[in-house]
Amino acid sequence: MTDSVRGAARKEEVITYAYILLYIALSSGQIFFNKWVLSSKEFNFPYPLGLTLLHMVFSSVLCFMLTKVFKVMKVEEGMTLEIYATSVIPIGAMFAMTLWLGNTAYLYISVAFAQMLKAIMPVAVFVLGVAAGLEVMSGRMLLIMSLISFGVLVASYGEINISWIGVVYQMGGVVGEALRLIFMEILVKRKGLKLNPISVMYYVSPCSALCLFIPWIFLEKPRIEAHGTWNLQPLVLTLNSLCTFALNLSVFLVISHTSALTIRVAGVVKDWVVVLLSALLFADTKLTIINLFGYGIAIAGVVAYNNHKLKREASRANSKESQLVESIPLNAPSTSND
């Protein structure tokens, strides 16, 4: 290997690690930023629906500017009215539900506990996947799901100041995210449409914004007007929205430079970073040994789930490759010059 090739490989490796660290930093930072904005003891903008709506409107405008005005990014083609109505709208609605309920949970529970409850996500995805015919129940998966569920129960048992309202909101957000992932899988597998994150944001963000705008008019707009808090700091809210958009872009960068395994491993690392840092940053976070023990069990289950999924995806890819080889005629004419 020449020095130039070795240098290029090292440079690519450095760039890849930089993208991973960027994703972990942005994802963790955005969670803390949202908690700070929503907290009555900090920025005091206790309107999770309005904050989420602002994120989606900002994302819609920015995606349009980047793809249609400045044309620095491309929206992949293949979208039809039928696909938009049957797949994109449900994805947008579930995305809106996830962000709304997840942000609302921060008003009642700590960031660390919210993150622990999110560990139940694979269970929700798997159960809904079985119901939709996308997953098959097996003894191995039942054991993994039981391990995750047990870990989350132990972590919840160790929570000192538990708020069941916050738990309900967080679980609602988990169900919304699980449904979004199921609809995304249906979009890719059954509709055959593959979109990069920019294309997904371009199509989904306006739909999510509309789904959020309707309940916002009835639930939060009257409260904002009653408290006379329209004159907030637009710079902070704009920066918060920009960070959300940057987080979505960082996911695209990590996936395009690495693999699904890397983004999942980075997600597990990020979860632990959020849990531990939140104990230092927020006064309402009190971690116990039982908390951490239960969360450790749940994360072990999540790692096993990710490993199982990736092995199955690799097996499917190898199966398709072997089928493609078998379909090539043995007496196919040679293209060599011999």
Side-chain angles (χ1 to χ4, degrees), residues 75-188:
V75 176
E76 295 182 21
E77 299 178 354
M79 181 62 65
T80 64
L81 183 61
E82 187 268 337
I83 292 177
Y84 192 89
T86 58
S87 295
V88 175
I89 290 179
I91 290 171
M94 291 303 101
F95 192 40
M97 173 182 168
T98 299
L99 297 175
W100 171 19
L101 297 181
N103 284 332
T104 304
Y106 289 143
L107 297 176
Y108 301 95
I109 59 179
S110 68
V111 170
F113 187 47
Q115 208 64 31
M116 291 177 186
L117 292 175
K118 283 182 183 178
I120 202 74
M121 178 69 69
V123 177
V125 173
F126 181 74
V127 171
L128 291 172
V130 170
L134 299 172
E135 299 280 358
V136 178
M137 181 63 74
S138 65
R140 180 185 178 88
M141 289 305 294
L142 185 61
L143 178 62
I144 292 174
M145 297 301 108
S146 300
L147 183 65
I148 295 173
S149 301
F150 176 71
V152 172
L153 285 174
V154 172
S156 301
Y157 179 78
E159 181 68 11
I160 297 174
N161 301 315
I162 190 168
S163 168
W164 291 109
I165 297 177
V167 171
V168 170
Y169 275 121
Q170 186 63 33
M171 288 296 99
V174 167
V175 171
E177 176 65 5
L179 287 171
R180 184 185 74 87
L181 294 174
I182 293 297
F183 284 127
M184 285 289 291
E185 193 165 352
I186 291 174
L187 180 65
V188 172

Side-chain angles (χ1 to χ4, degrees), residues 1-16:
M1 183 182 291
T2 63
D3 290 339
S4 60
V5 174
R6 192 179 294 110
R10 190 177 297 111
K11 181 180 179 182
E12 182 66 23
E13 185 177 344
V14 170
I15 292 174
T16 299

